[in-house]
Amino acid sequence: MAALARSESLAGLVALEAGASLLGPASFAALACGPLAPSLRRLTLRRCQLGPASIAALCRPSLLSGLVALSLAENDLDDSCLQALLDSPLAAGLS
């Protein structure tokens, strides 16, 4: 994921789905700050075994502010993860 997130050739991508993968916080940090982030509107991270560190990486102020849809289905997120998402700048643009 980190290599994809840094790819200049994917800079115009508007939707990304990653499922059933073991992505760590470094991958999400790369996604949030890479050339792919500004154009991304829909992000699906289904069954990626997300945890607090991964959610924290997604919630940092980043270029992902254009997201309008975020799906985190089938991840065992606890209340602190959900609250971090709600309190983050990322939540402002989601519908």
Side-chain angles (χ1 to χ4, degrees):
M1 171 69 90
L4 285 174
R6 289 189 299 265
S7 173
E8 293 289 337
S9 61
L10 296 176
L13 195 69
V14 295
L16 178 64
E17 293 187 23
S21 51
L22 299 172
L23 303 172
S27 295
F28 296 113
L31 175 65
C33 297
L36 174 62
S39 64
L40 205 56
R41 299 296 173 257
R42 292 179 304 282
L43 179 59
T44 301
L45 302 170
R46 184 173 175 244
R47 288 188 300 150
C48 289
Q49 298 184 7
L50 302 178
S54 297
I55 295 300
L58 280 175
C59 289
R60 284 194 297 258
S62 71
L63 300 174
L64 286 173
S65 61
L67 279 182
V68 295
L70 175 64
S71 175
L72 303 173
E74 298 182 52
N75 286 288
D76 291 326
L77 301 177
D78 63 18
D79 289 344
S80 67
C81 290
L82 297 175
Q83 192 61 54
L85 282 167
L86 289 173
D87 294 341
S88 76
L90 184 63
L94 298 177
S95 55

